[in-house]
Each structure stands twice: as C-alpha cells, then as structure tokens.
Amino acid sequence: MKQHVMLFIIFAAAACTLLIAPFIGIESVSPAVVFSGAGEEIIRDIFWRIRVPRVLTAFFAGSVLSISGMTFQALFRNPLATPYTLGVSSGAAFGAALYVRLGIVFSLFGMAGQSVSAFIGASTALGIVYWLTRMRNSFSTASMLLAGVAVSFFFSSFILFLQYLSDFTHSFRIVRWMMGGLEVVGYRSFLLVMPVAVIGGVILLLLSRELNLLSFGETIALSRGVDTSKLKTLLFFIVSFMVGTVVSITGPIGFVGMMCPHICRLLVGHSHRVLMPASFFFGGMFLVICDTIARTVIAPAEIPGGVITALLGGPFFLWLLMSRKTEMTT
C-alpha cells in the first residue's frame, strides 16, 4: 500500500511539473494570454511552439533514460549502470561529430541531418556490441559489458580524432552537442520520442516479473522458467533502440538513467512492477526540472541541460559509491 501511495505522489508531482514548467521563463506568462485570444500573438507562439513541445520532449526523453537505466541496472545487477553502458551514446556522438566535420547538410523525413547521423552512429555501435558478444558464443552480461566498454572507448577515440582535425567552429559544435540539450522547436521531436517512451515502457512493464527474477541472478531466473538468453537479447535491442532515439535528438544527457531509478528504489522498493512506472514519471519530471533550470538560471543565455544533470549527478554518484562501499564493509 505504501508503494502505491508513493507512486501516486510521484505521478501527481510529475503532472504538476508538466503543467507549471511551460509558464516559467524569462518573463512571466499568464495563462489568460496563452489560453485565450487576448494578449500578444508572439507570446502565444513562443508558448505553444517552443515551450510546450520542449517540456513534453524533456519529459519523455527523461522517462526513456530513466527506465533504460533501471533495466540495465537489473540486467547487470549494478546500481551504477547507465543507459550509456553499452556504448550507444559514444556511437551517436561519433555520428553527430562526423556530420559536423564533413560539413554536409541534409534532412530525412523532417529530421535534422545531425540527428539522423547520430541515430545511425548509435545503431552502428549497437550492431558492433551485439556482434562482439555473439562471437563468444554466449550472450552473457559480462561479455556484453566488456563489448560495450570497448566500443565506447573505440568511438570516443575517433571523436577526439575528428575534433583534432576540425577548426574552431566545428570543434565547438561537436563539444556543444556532446553536452546534451533540448533546444527544440515544434512538435516533431516530441512525436518521435513519445511513442518510443510509451511503447518501450509498456513492454518493460509486461516484463517486470522477468526483470525481478533477473535482478536476483541468472540461475534463479532459469530455475523459474525464464529463458535468460532470449530475455537479455530482447532487453538489449529494446533499450538500446530507445536510448539511441533519445540521444539522437537531445545528445548524451548524463546521470538521469543512473540517479532516477536508484532514488525510486528508495521510495517504492525493488519490485519492477511498481519501480518501472515510478522511474518513468520521476525521470521525466527530473529532466523537465533540470531543463527549466538550464533555460532560466542565466536567461536570456542558456546552459546545456546535460551540464545541469552532470552537476547534480556527480555528487550523487560519489554518495552512491560511498554508501555501497559502506554496505560491503559492514
């Protein structure tokens, strides 16, 4: 009962955040202006075409990162695992950096060329990790983790190489994209992220029993009739696709997928049947709050959203590391 009450509180807080965040900005915006014909048309345009889609995109991007981190933490049985553990973000960053360095300009189905290139890079990293893992004739979490780390370092080295060959303008664009952010205009990004978040969330919720068993170890999961090899393959592709989609739009916004699931475990417990929706709403709320801070704290200038999450995530990571060390020594 306590878990469900806490889940309702998280849901209510997320709903309030979604309603309030679009009105927070450089200057106060009255609901009477945006919901009626009165007032300046430019204010209504900014509200409906920039602020609302940005908040909605931030919410569903944060939700994806949060439930993806939750899944990898169960898969690897490690609370320090993140959605970027398997190198998807490094592959996406390489694709975006290559697009900037080559100086090409294109769009595909309304998506910016940089986002398309980032998604191709993320898919390439995903394919390489899967191939390397399968080469060992098993789909063990240890092999998957090692392959992810190797691919991540591989693409990171290529990014540094591209930066070295780039001029100041291209180098700045690469670094800026790698900081992560939510500078969106219109609802196209939201319409790309929202279905991925909802469908992925429903699938993970349906697999909550299997995730509970997997978090206790593969041996226990096998003894309860779970085909761990198929389950890990399914989770690998679903989560990687979700993360690749988000990163291609927002850039690699860090720490959301590590912090939010862990905080939700403290609030609602370890059962993924409750933890999954809690992580979904809490992650979305968290990124909306961080993005609101990023666009208002030094307005009219703007801080990349990934910088805010990193400033919060660094101390949290140290606290989590020290608390785990205390648990191991007692």
Side-chain angles (χ1 to χ4, degrees), residues 248-291:
S248 67
I249 294 171
T250 67
I253 298 177
F255 290 100
V256 177
M258 185 195 71
M259 286 191 295
C260 296
H262 190 76
I263 293 172
C264 289
R265 283 191 189 90
L266 298 176
L267 296 175
V268 301
H270 293 266
S271 174
H272 287 84
R273 191 174 298 277
V274 181
L275 181 61
M276 203 296 297
S279 298
F280 185 94
F281 292 116
F282 189 91
M285 175 180 64
F286 177 79
L287 189 54
V288 168
I289 292 172
C290 289
D291 182 61

Side-chain angles (χ1 to χ4, degrees), residues 16-312:
C16 291
T17 302
L18 272 176
L19 290 174
I20 296 172
F23 293 96
I24 301 175
I26 300 173
E27 56 187 47
S28 59
V29 179
S30 169
V33 172
V34 298
F35 290 112
S36 69
E40 298 182 21
E41 185 177 347
I42 189 170
I43 295 179
R44 293 197 302 276
D45 242 18
I46 291 172
F47 182 85
W48 290 111
R49 297 191 60 190
I50 297 178
R51 291 191 180 181
V52 171
R54 177 168 178 158
V55 168
L56 291 174
T57 303
F59 180 82
F60 285 104
S63 299
V64 167
L65 295 176
S66 182
I67 61 177
S68 299
M70 175 207 72
T71 305
F72 278 159
Q73 287 166 12
L75 184 61
F76 296 114
R77 300 178 63 196
N78 189 336
L80 302 182
T82 74
Y84 308 140
T85 297
L86 298 184
V88 174
S89 66
S90 296
F94 173 72
L98 186 63
Y99 173 86
V100 172
R101 178 63 185 85
L102 294 178
I104 54 179
V105 179
F106 71 93
S107 63
L108 183 65
F109 302 116
M111 285 184 64
Q114 192 166 4
S115 295
V116 175
S117 300
F119 185 78
I120 293 172
S123 302
T124 302
L126 168 64
I128 294 174
V129 171
Y130 181 76
W131 175 70
L132 290 173
T133 306
R134 280 301 185 190
M135 277 185 63
R136 298 178 61 89
N137 298 320
S138 67
F139 207 71
S140 66
T141 53
S143 299
M144 200 189 314
L145 183 60
L146 289 173
V149 171
V151 168
S152 181
F153 280 121
F154 177 78
F155 280 114
S156 295
S157 64
F158 270 105
I159 293 169
L160 291 175
F161 180 69
L162 287 175
Q163 282 186 279
Y164 183 78
L165 296 179
S166 301
D167 57 24
F168 176 80
T169 301
H170 288 162
S171 183
F172 175 80
R173 287 180 60 191
I174 293 171
V175 172
R176 175 62 187 84
W177 188 88
M178 291 176 65
M179 290 180 181
L182 286 142
E183 296 81 12
V184 299
V185 177
Y187 291 87
R188 190 173 300 277
S189 296
F190 161 68
L191 293 176
L192 288 172
V193 175
M194 187 269 289
V196 172
V198 173
I199 296 172
V202 169
I203 293 173
L204 293 179
L205 184 61
L206 293 175
L207 294 173
S208 57
R209 174 184 172 273
E210 288 78 3
L211 284 171
N212 285 337
L213 293 172
L214 193 61
S215 63
F216 287 109
E218 290 189 41
T219 304
I220 294 177
L222 283 168
S223 68
R224 298 300 178 90
V226 177
D227 189 336
T228 56
S229 180
K230 288 184 179 179
L231 177 62
K232 288 186 291 184
T233 304
L234 179 62
L235 293 175
F236 171 79
F237 280 107
I238 289 174
V239 174
S240 297
F241 176 78
M242 290 165 61
V243 174
T245 302
V246 169
V247 173
S248 67
I249 294 171
T250 67
I253 298 177
F255 290 100
V256 177
M258 185 195 71
M259 286 191 295
C260 296
H262 190 76
I263 293 172
C264 289
R265 283 191 189 90
L266 298 176
L267 296 175
V268 301
H270 293 266
S271 174
H272 287 84
R273 191 174 298 277
V274 181
L275 181 61
M276 203 296 297
S279 298
F280 185 94
F281 292 116
F282 189 91
M285 175 180 64
F286 177 79
L287 189 54
V288 168
I289 292 172
C290 289
D291 182 61
T292 303
I293 295 172
R295 65 181 172 80
T296 58
V297 68
I298 58 169
E302 185 173 310
I303 301 173
V307 174
I308 301 298
T309 60
L311 288 172
L312 297 174

